[in-house]
């Protein structure tokens, strides 16, 4: 009911608000607004109710529901229920709608004269997203077609299986559970933040459409700026959280991998930042109103495009983040095309009405170079989007080839992204970053509407820029000498970073007089410079600590280069790794998670212990515990560096128990008939039958009332050492069945079976098989990231600068009101 209600009321709100814009001031206009407001509030309550009901059935583990069965299991911690809610497509659509509703309620309270057009657009967007989850069937011609995927469908409605013939089938099914990769606290906080960022881009888009619709081409700039800054802050924070998650909880070996999904969250943010800068120009000078419209229109359209890429399945082979295909592709395409048409259609229709200053912008003015900077961000976005969209081009070429059979498309349809994706993007984006950093330094000292270049302005600009550049070159030369940066490209990159830091600090101190309330742009630009320094050090000076030339040819399934960057650690055996002595101490198992304790010791030249710490990387097994689904890192944090570790591999018998079992089935067992006190021999050991145990303990044995269970206590001696080991195979009689429960001494490669008891002779039959000893080891990769804290500090400063600017613009807006 709530799914249909949210679908219908979103359309009702969009239509009502639409007619409120068309009506002149008066009673009828007010009636339309009240109707639209009521419909949107009912829509919001419906969305909240859907989420509440879905959470209820997930918390109570009602596996008869398809969505619950897919994303919840008995062993899922309660703290991950929210993560499971938005793991699937339907849940993430609901999260997106939730934030639109929250933002819509705020706008109903605050938008005033903008409420009609802005809420009309927002309600229309909600209508389209509601259609993705409404799951209605429509009859056309001789067939039905489905709109959306209903998250509340029963399992028996979407799957055909004999189990559903059983009236009590619900008791027989268990949930699949949350992907182990997503069982992390970052999954709880990162998606809501990112989706709030996605949702917030709708507000600048809606104000842009409203400005065009109402013809208020200057007034909308003041109204939109606080929202645009909020959107830039929150979407940037979501992207940053994704980077921290990738670094701290996933074995990516870094914080950014240029994954297609990462790219398509970054691109709208870059366009949004460009729009913020042109909006500032438009507000201060009247220039760039046209471009500001386009920036905010394309920000939201690119959010929709990224949604299509992630949810259509087209990135399934190129991204680890993408959803699987759900049959929503054409709905998503219509979604994109509709709002692209609305935005651009209104823009071109109203283009002649948009005020435009005829005078050319001066080369010496701030607005000229801010506009150039915004264009550079567009160029950056186009490059990223082009490479990321290659799978889309391939699909299109394939479709056209099937229709036309044009020969050159046969090759084009197999067009694939570059093999070295990181190198490909870095090759271009590094120079774009240098240019943006340089602009961030110089533009601060320019003035709006400045047409000439002489006198005090020129002298002041030259003085500040000269001091900043000399300081940047001096600091960069010193750092390059100390860090060993020899390539001229790296030195230029470092100079640009320090140039924007020093210039903006001078601007803060001497021009703004340390007035923090006016320093939003300064904080963001300084943060950008610090971020660039962090990127340079973590990218260029990253070290592989786990260099190991002794393990080549030893680690099963590894290529030689991989073996050289990983180290094999045998349990309890200290191993030299660079400046550290590293020991794999122990491991513990908690359900599907296996955590390893690795001890690090660092000694000085005199052999004195100067540092010791433990790291605890872990692996997550699948539900059957037959393979490893995730390897999560453990990191030692310092002020100037991080030591990042993760487990790359384990012995085959610990990774693939099924293969180990198959190998054990082919073992050759040798029987020995012995009495208490007797001894028998293997090739390298001798075994003493010490006694019976009437109350045996065995990991595979759970006692039942009528059981007769006897353990054979065996003491194993190795021929060349005084050390001993124990084993206790069990002989079990349960009802009319006799079973033998094996026991083994893995490190000696011995397996024992208790096959028979002869009460007359008081003997037992023990079978023994010799296998290769099972070594206990882990393969560890350890990386050193120098100055990675600069990446986090710089990013946070950039975003905090937007946050400060947002409050400044809110204050201006209130004063104008």
């Amino acid at each position: 009911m709530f799914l249909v209600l949210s679908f219908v009321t979103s359309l009702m709100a969009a239509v009502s608000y639409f007619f409120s814009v068309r009506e002149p001031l008066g009673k009828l206009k007010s009636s339309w607004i009240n109707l639209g407001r009521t419909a949107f509030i009912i829509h919001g309550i419906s969305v909240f109710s859907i989420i509440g009901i879905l959470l209820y059935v997930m918390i109570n583990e009602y596996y008869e529901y398809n969505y619950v069965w897919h994303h919840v299991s008995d062993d899922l911690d309660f703290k991950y229920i929210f993560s499971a809610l938005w793991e699937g497509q339907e849940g993430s659509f609901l999260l997106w709608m939730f934030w639109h509703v929250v933002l819509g309620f705020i706008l109903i309270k605050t938008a005033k004269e903008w409420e009609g057009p802005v809420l009309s657009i927002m309600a229309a967007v909600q209508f389209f997203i509601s259609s993705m989850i409404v799951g209605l069937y429509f009859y056309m011609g001789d067939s039905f077609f489905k709109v959306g995927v209903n998250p509340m469908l029963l399992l028996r409605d979407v799957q055909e299986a004999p189990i559903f013939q059983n009236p009590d089938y619900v008791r027989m099914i268990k949930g699949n559970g949350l992907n182990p990769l997503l069982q992390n606290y970052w999954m709880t906080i990162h998606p809501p933040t990112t989706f709030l960022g996605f949702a917030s881009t709708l507000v600048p888009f809606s104000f842009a459409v409203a400005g065009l619709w109402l013809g208020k081409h200057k007034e909308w700039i003041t109204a939109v700026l606080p929202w645009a800054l909020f959107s830039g802050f929150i979407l940037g924070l979501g992207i940053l959280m994704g980077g921290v998650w990738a670094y701290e909880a996933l074995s990516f070996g870094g914080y950014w991998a240029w994954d297609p999904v990462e790219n398509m969250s970054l691109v709208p943010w870059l366009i949004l930042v460009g729009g913020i800068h042109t909006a500032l120009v438009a507000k201060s000078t009247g220039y760039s109103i046209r471009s500001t419209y386009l920036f905010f229109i394309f920000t939201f359209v690119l959010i929709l495009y990224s949604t299509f890429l992630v949810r259509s399945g087209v990135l399934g082979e190129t991204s680890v983040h993408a959803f699987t295909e759900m049959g929503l592709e054409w709905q998503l395409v219509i979604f994109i095309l509709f709002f692209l048409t609305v935005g651009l259609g209104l823009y071109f229709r109203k283009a002649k009405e948009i005020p435009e200053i005829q005078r050319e912008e001066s080369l010496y003015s701030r607005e000229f170079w801010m506009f150039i900077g915004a264009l550079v961000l567009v160029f950056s976005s186009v490059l990223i989007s082009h490479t990321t969209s290659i799978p889309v081009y391939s699909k299109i070429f394939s479709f056209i080839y099937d229709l036309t059979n044009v020969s050159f498309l046969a090759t084009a349809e197999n067009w694939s992204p570059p093999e070295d994706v990181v190198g490909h993007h870095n090759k271009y984006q590094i120079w774009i970053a240098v240019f943006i950093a340089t602009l961030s330094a110089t533009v601060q000292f320019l003035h709006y509407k400045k047409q000439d270049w002489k006198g005090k302005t020129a002298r002041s600009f030259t003085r500040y820029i000269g001091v900043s550049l000399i300081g940047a070159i001096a600091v960069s030369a010193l750092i390059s000498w100390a860090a060993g940066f020899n390539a001229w490209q790296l030195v230029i990159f470092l100079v640009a970073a320090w140039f924007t830091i020093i210039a903006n600090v001078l601007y803060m101190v001497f021009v703004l007089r340390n007035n923090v309330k006016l320093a939003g742009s300064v904080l963001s630009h300084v943060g950008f410079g610090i971020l660039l320094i962090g990127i340079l050090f973590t990218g260029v000076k990253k070290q592989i600590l786990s260099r190991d030339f002794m393990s080549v040819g030893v680690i099963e399934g590894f290529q030689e280069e991989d073996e050289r960057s990983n180290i094999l650690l045998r349990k309890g055996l200290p191993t030299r790794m660079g400046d550290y002595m590293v020991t794999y101490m122990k491991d513990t198992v908690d359900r599907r998670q296996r955590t390893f304790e690795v001890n690090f010791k660092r000694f000085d030249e005199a052999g004195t212990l100067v540092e010791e710490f433990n790291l605890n990387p872990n692996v997550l097994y699948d539900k059957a515990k037959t393979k490893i689904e995730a390897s999560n890192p453990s990191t030692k944090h310092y002020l100037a560096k991080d030591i990042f570790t993760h487990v790359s591999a384990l012995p085959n018998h610990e990774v693939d128990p099924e293969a180990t079992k198959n190998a054990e089935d082919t073992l050759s067992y040798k029987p020995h008939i012995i009495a208490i006190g007797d001894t028998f021999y293997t090739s390298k050991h001798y075994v003493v039958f010490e006694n019976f145990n009437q109350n045996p303990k065995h990991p595979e044995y759970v006692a039942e009332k009528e059981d007769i269970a006897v353990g054979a206590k065996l003491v194993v001696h190795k021929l060349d050492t005084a050390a001993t080991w124990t084993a206790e195979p069990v002989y079990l009689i349960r009802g009319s069945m006799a079973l033998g429960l094996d026991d083994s001494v893995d490190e000696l490669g011995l397996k024992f079976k208790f096959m028979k008891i002869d009460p007359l002779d008081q003997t037992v039959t023990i079978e023994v098989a010799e296998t290769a000893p099972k070594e206990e080891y882990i393969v560890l990769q350890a990386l050193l990231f120098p100055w990675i804290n600069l990446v986090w500090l710089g990013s946070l400063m950039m975003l905090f600068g937007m946050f400060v600017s947002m409050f400044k613009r809110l204050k201006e807006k209130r004063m104008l009101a």
Side-chain angles (χ1 to χ4, degrees):
M1 182 192 74
F2 284 120
L3 284 166
V4 175
L5 189 60
S6 70
F7 180 64
V8 173
T9 52
S10 61
L11 179 60
M12 183 178 176
V15 171
S16 300
Y17 275 124
F18 174 83
F19 281 113
S20 78
V21 178
R22 294 169 61 90
E23 291 291 339
L25 288 174
K27 187 175 181 181
L28 188 58
K29 183 181 184 71
S30 178
S31 298
W32 279 119
I33 287 179
N34 288 333
L35 182 59
R37 192 177 292 166
T38 301
F40 193 87
I41 290 172
I42 294 173
H43 165 75
I45 293 171
S46 299
V47 171
F48 296 158
S49 300
I50 296 164
I51 293 172
I53 292 168
L54 197 52
L55 278 172
Y56 177 80
V57 296
M58 294 176 81
I59 290 169
N60 288 280
E61 299 171 355
Y62 292 167
Y63 296 130
E64 60 265 39
Y65 290 97
N66 181 55
Y67 199 81
V68 181
W69 178 79
H70 267 291
H71 302 289
V72 178
S73 60
D74 292 347
D75 61 349
L76 183 67
D77 288 342
F78 179 78
K79 61 185 177 182
Y80 295 132
I81 288 292
F82 283 99
S83 303
L85 172 66
W86 44 71
E87 180 194 22
Q89 290 224 41
E90 303 95 314
S92 60
F93 276 129
L94 281 167
L95 180 60
W96 197 6
M97 292 175 68
F98 170 86
W99 286 124
H100 280 160
V101 169
V102 171
L103 295 173
F105 285 175
I106 294 172
L107 284 164
I108 286 173
K109 185 73 174 176
T110 62
K112 297 180 180 178
E113 73 272 18
W114 297 100
E115 181 183 349
V118 168
L119 267 295
S120 179
I121 296 299
M122 294 190 74
V125 170
Q126 288 292 83
F127 172 73
F128 274 90
I129 302 179
S130 295
S131 75
M132 304 293 173
I133 61 169
V134 69
L136 291 178
Y137 286 82
F138 292 88
Y139 186 71
M140 281 192 66
D142 297 328
S143 62
F144 288 93
F145 73 93
K146 186 177 71 169
V147 175
V149 179
N150 185 342
M152 299 305 298
L153 289 175
L154 294 171
L155 187 60
R156 66 171 184 254
D157 294 331
V158 297
Q159 293 189 23
E160 292 184 9
I163 190 175
F164 299 124
Q165 303 301 317
N166 190 319
D168 200 28
Y169 79 90
V170 172
R171 296 180 183 273
M172 303 164 65
I173 56 177
K174 298 294 181 184
N176 285 340
L178 182 66
N179 186 329
L181 281 169
L182 304 179
Q183 293 185 31
N184 184 279
Y185 68 92
W186 284 107
M187 180 60 181
T188 307
I189 60 175
H190 165 58
T193 307
T194 303
F195 272 94
L196 175 56
F198 291 165
S200 67
T201 63
L202 174 57
V203 182
F205 174 82
S206 299
F207 271 103
V209 171
L212 290 166
W213 194 353
L214 300 179
K216 296 184 177 181
H217 303 296
K218 293 182 179 179
E219 295 87 342
W220 81 279
I221 298 291
T222 301
V224 81
L225 258 173
W227 283 105
L229 287 162
F230 170 76
S231 185
F233 163 72
I234 202 68
L235 181 56
L237 185 61
I239 295 169
L240 176 62
M241 283 183 171
V244 178
W245 181 11
Y247 178 71
E248 286 196 356
L250 302 173
S251 54
F252 283 9
Y255 49 85
W256 194 261
W258 290 106
D259 181 272
V261 175
E262 293 175 341
N263 297 348
M264 294 316 295
S265 62
L266 177 64
V267 166
W269 185 79
L270 292 175
I271 298 297
L272 177 61
V273 170
I276 290 170
H277 284 81
T278 58
L280 291 169
V281 170
K283 186 176 185 305
S284 300
T285 68
Y287 287 106
S288 300
I289 295 176
R290 291 172 180 266
S291 55
T292 304
Y293 274 127
L294 291 175
F295 272 109
F296 289 149
I297 289 170
F298 277 105
T299 295
F300 180 66
V301 170
L302 283 167
I303 288 289
L304 299 184
Y305 178 61
S306 69
T307 300
F308 167 76
L309 288 180
V310 174
R311 296 171 184 276
S312 64
V314 72
L315 296 180
E317 296 180 3
T318 57
S319 174
V320 298
H321 294 85
F323 288 99
T324 56
E325 188 175 347
M326 286 187 62
L328 300 175
E329 296 76 26
W330 286 109
Q331 279 184 251
L332 291 168
V333 170
I334 294 169
F335 191 7
I336 297 169
L337 292 178
F338 180 85
F339 287 99
L340 179 63
T341 302
V342 168
L344 292 185
L346 265 177
Y347 175 81
F348 288 116
R349 183 181 174 186
K350 301 275 190 169
K352 292 182 180 179
E353 301 176 11
I354 301 173
E356 184 178 9
I357 299 175
Q358 298 301 318
R359 185 178 65 248
E360 290 289 333
E361 294 164 293
S362 169
L363 187 65
Y364 309 114
S365 65
R366 176 182 285 192
E367 58 267 25
F368 176 81
W369 290 106
M370 286 177 70
F371 181 73
I372 294 298
L375 289 182
V376 171
L377 292 176
V378 172
F379 180 62
S380 171
S381 302
V382 169
L383 290 176
I384 297 170
S385 299
H386 166 69
T387 303
T388 305
S389 299
I390 287 175
V392 179
Y393 306 153
S394 182
K395 291 276 188 182
I396 294 172
F397 292 149
S398 177
F399 177 73
I400 297 174
Y401 175 70
D402 291 340
L403 292 177
T404 63
N405 205 29
V406 176
S407 57
F408 82 91
L409 291 175
T411 303
E413 68 172 329
N414 297 318
W415 192 13
S416 59
E419 291 186 10
D420 181 11
V421 176
V422 174
H424 168 80
H425 285 293
N426 287 349
K427 179 170 60 176
Y428 302 107
Q429 300 302 323
I430 281 174
W431 297 112
I432 291 173
V434 168
F435 187 78
I436 292 295
T438 304
L439 282 182
S440 300
T442 54
V443 167
Q444 293 284 46
F445 297 100
L446 297 174
H447 299 282
Y448 287 120
K449 302 180 181 179
K450 196 69 177 179
Q451 297 300 315
D452 55 5
W453 187 249
K454 58 185 179 182
K456 184 178 178 181
T457 301
R459 289 194 299 271
S460 174
F461 177 86
T462 304
R463 181 171 65 252
Y464 285 127
I465 294 302
V467 170
S468 302
L469 187 57
I470 292 170
I473 292 172
V475 173
S476 300
L478 183 62
I479 292 175
S480 297
W481 172 77
F485 294 145
N486 297 319
W488 62 270
Q489 297 95 331
L490 301 181
V491 176
I492 290 177
F493 190 87
L494 190 60
V495 169
W498 277 107
F499 183 37
T500 194
I501 292 172
I502 295 172
N504 277 278
V505 169
L506 292 178
Y507 183 77
M508 174 76 174
V509 173
F510 294 105
V511 178
L512 298 183
R513 310 295 183 187
N514 292 323
N515 189 341
V516 178
K517 294 179 180 179
L518 303 175
S521 64
V522 170
L523 291 171
S524 290
H525 294 163
V526 170
F528 182 63
I530 293 172
L531 170 63
L532 293 186
I533 296 172
I535 290 172
L536 178 63
F537 273 92
T538 55
V540 176
K541 303 302 289 184
K542 179 177 78 172
Q543 298 177 36
I544 299 175
L545 297 179
S546 50
R547 289 287 184 191
D548 185 16
F549 298 96
M550 302 300 294
S551 296
V552 175
V554 175
I555 307 174
E556 185 176 348
F558 270 48
Q559 300 294 324
E560 183 174 327
E561 181 55 36
D562 293 327
E563 289 181 302
R564 294 185 189 278
S565 62
N566 291 268
I567 190 167
L568 189 146
L569 302 177
R570 290 179 171 84
K571 194 170 187 177
L573 180 64
T575 304
R576 172 66 64 181
M577 189 182 77
D579 295 334
Y580 296 91
M581 189 64 71
V582 185
T583 308
Y584 163 31
M585 304 295 290
K586 62 180 181 179
D587 59 88
T588 55
V589 178
D590 179 12
R591 290 184 287 187
R592 287 194 278 165
Q593 180 173 298
R594 183 177 177 190
T595 304
F596 304 89
E597 183 176 305
V598 183
N599 177 259
F600 285 71
K601 292 179 180 177
R602 184 165 63 87
F603 300 88
D604 62 17
E605 294 181 358
T608 304
L609 179 65
V610 295
E611 182 184 19
E612 180 176 7
F613 57 89
N614 292 332
L615 290 177
N616 301 100
N618 69 70
V619 297
L620 288 171
Y621 291 94
D622 65 355
K623 290 180 69 173
K625 296 186 179 178
T626 58
K627 67 177 183 178
I628 293 174
E629 289 200 335
S631 176
N632 295 320
S634 180
T635 305
K636 174 68 173 176
H637 300 285
Y638 299 86
L639 179 63
K641 66 181 180 183
D642 277 3
I643 295 177
F644 173 101
T645 65
H646 74 99
V647 174
S648 306
L650 293 172
N652 191 54
H653 67 272
E654 297 181 9
V655 177
D656 191 352
E658 187 64 30
T660 303
K661 180 180 181 300
N662 293 337
E664 290 173 352
D665 289 343
T666 64
L667 293 178
S668 176
Y669 283 87
K670 183 178 180 181
H672 298 272
I673 300 173
I674 54 175
I676 293 175
D678 285 352
T679 299
F680 63 91
Y681 288 82
T682 69
S683 61
K684 297 180 181 179
H685 318 88
Y686 65 93
V687 184
V688 178
F689 176 24
E690 192 175 77
N691 210 336
F692 289 108
N693 181 5
Q694 301 295 332
N695 296 295
K697 303 292 183 185
H698 192 281
E700 297 179 16
Y701 174 55
V702 179
E704 293 186 6
K705 187 175 180 181
E706 302 297 330
D707 284 355
I708 299 173
V710 180
K713 298 183 68 175
L714 305 176
V715 179
V716 183
H717 301 259
K718 198 172 181 181
L719 295 177
D720 57 356
T721 179
T724 63
W725 292 260
T726 61
E728 188 174 317
V730 174
Y731 187 76
L732 169 64
I733 298 174
R734 177 171 289 170
S736 60
M737 296 178 59
L739 304 169
L741 303 178
D742 304 352
D743 199 7
S744 61
V745 182
D746 287 339
E747 56 191 293
L748 300 180
L750 295 177
K751 288 187 70 69
F752 300 96
K753 288 185 176 182
F754 193 166
M755 301 301 296
K756 183 180 179 182
I757 299 177
D758 190 331
L760 297 177
D761 295 340
Q762 294 189 350
T763 60
V764 299
T765 301
I766 300 292
E767 291 188 354
V768 61
E770 295 187 75
T771 65
K774 292 181 180 177
E775 291 186 279
E776 291 192 74
Y777 68 82
I778 61 173
V779 178
L780 188 80
Q781 185 176 69
L783 305 173
L784 184 143
F785 287 95
W787 293 108
I788 193 167
N789 285 330
L790 294 181
V791 172
W792 315 131
L793 174 63
S795 300
L796 288 172
M797 282 188 67
M798 261 201 316
L799 300 176
F800 183 67
M802 291 185 182
F803 195 67
V804 170
S805 296
M806 179 187 74
F807 279 101
K808 178 176 179 290
R809 298 300 167 180
L810 277 173
K811 186 177 180 181
E812 289 179 357
K813 183 180 174 182
R814 292 193 193 99
M815 290 175 64
L816 288 173

